[in-house]
Amino acid sequence: MIQSLLAVRQWTQEDLAEAVGTKQNNVSRWIAGVEPRGQTRDRILELGRESGLIEEERRDRSVIPIMGDIGAGARIEPDYEQAPPDGFDQVELPFALGAEDVIGFRVLGDSMLPKYEPGAVIVVYRNQTRATQHLVGEFAAVRTSDGHRYLKRIMPGPKPNLYNLLSFNGSTRPILGVGIVWASEIIATIEPRHVRSIAASKRKAAGRRGT
């Protein structure tokens, strides 16, 4: 496990020692066959799960499909993605969700910094649960009537049933007077460093079995 962690994370023994709160000579002792104990052992096992080295059922976590990217300064055209029902990928959330039908989108672009980082995953409802006018003033995932998908703040538009879409940091121009055919509030945000791709973990595991 120790050697696999060093290889997968491209760490030195000093890096691993810092990650688990110990000294480098202890890492050398573990590689030589000494068994780590207590909280140090628990942290190593946690790193093993995060790195895809340990596959086990986690009842305190949920897995959701990633249905594509969502524009935060980028323009996403969902009609050209042709996402399969179970998504392009799956991601493990570091917490459990209820029975709601939820999906994820990966943030593309930097117009929502620092609130939403590029590469983060936002978790939303697959089907709209609240009327769009009740989402005014909130950050939400939206699909516009002209076929684009954005992560924006919904604001009142120039006419009834039309809305303005604003960025968080003002780096891109507002999108004015658009119709919205689907919108969802943000249930959760998973920062890029915490996004664990199930497909990527399986590819790594398969590669290790083949070597």
Side-chain angles (χ1 to χ4, degrees):
M1 173 63 71
I2 300 298
Q3 292 173 328
S4 296
L5 272 175
L6 297 178
V8 167
R9 295 202 172 224
Q10 297 183 341
W11 277 354
T12 63
Q13 293 185 17
E14 289 81 3
D15 293 331
L16 179 58
E18 182 179 355
V20 300
T22 189
K23 297 180 179 180
Q24 179 271 329
N25 63 333
N26 286 329
V27 178
S28 295
R29 292 172 61 239
W30 299 336
I31 293 175
V34 176
E35 181 79 13
R37 296 181 180 181
Q39 293 182 346
T40 301
R41 180 179 183 275
D42 292 342
R43 177 57 180 153
I44 292 170
L45 293 175
E46 182 181 356
L47 288 170
R49 285 190 291 268
E50 292 176 357
S51 304
L53 299 174
I54 300 175
E55 293 294 335
E56 63 180 32
E57 183 180 358
R58 295 293 301 274
R59 295 183 180 180
D60 60 338
R61 302 198 175 199
S62 297
V63 174
I64 63 169
I66 301 299
M67 304 305 291
D69 296 324
I70 191 163
R75 175 176 289 186
I76 306 300
E77 298 182 350
D79 288 340
Y80 293 97
E81 290 179 334
Q82 297 180 344
D86 57 352
F88 294 109
D89 195 0
Q90 292 179 316
V91 64
E92 183 183 75
L93 306 183
F95 50 83
L97 286 173
E100 297 91 351
D101 188 11
V102 297
I103 57 176
F105 290 109
R106 187 171 285 107
V107 177
L108 184 64
D110 58 8
S111 71
M112 301 301 285
L113 282 170
K115 189 173 181 63
Y116 299 101
E117 296 182 47
V121 169
I122 60 166
V123 183
V124 299
Y125 292 109
R126 185 187 296 269
N127 299 308
Q128 186 164 343
T129 61
R130 294 168 57 191
T132 303
Q133 60 264 32
H134 295 159
L135 294 171
V136 168
E138 296 187 24
F139 292 102
V142 304
R143 181 169 178 175
T144 58
S145 56
D146 58 356
H148 299 118
R149 188 166 59 224
Y150 299 103
L151 171 59
K152 297 290 182 182
R153 185 196 293 272
I154 302 175
M155 298 300 291
K159 296 180 181 180
N161 299 319
L162 294 180
Y163 299 90
N164 298 336
L165 305 178
L166 279 59
S167 299
F168 185 79
N169 58 32
S171 62
T172 59
R173 293 181 179 180
I175 302 170
L176 304 177
V178 295
I180 294 178
V181 297
W182 170 84
S184 173
E185 63 267 40
I186 311 301
I187 302 172
T189 305
I190 313 303
E191 301 301 325
R193 63 185 178 275
H194 294 148
V195 172
R196 177 174 179 257
S197 167
I198 301 299
S201 297
K202 289 180 178 178
R203 287 194 296 269
K204 288 180 180 179
R208 290 191 295 272
R209 288 193 296 269
T211 55

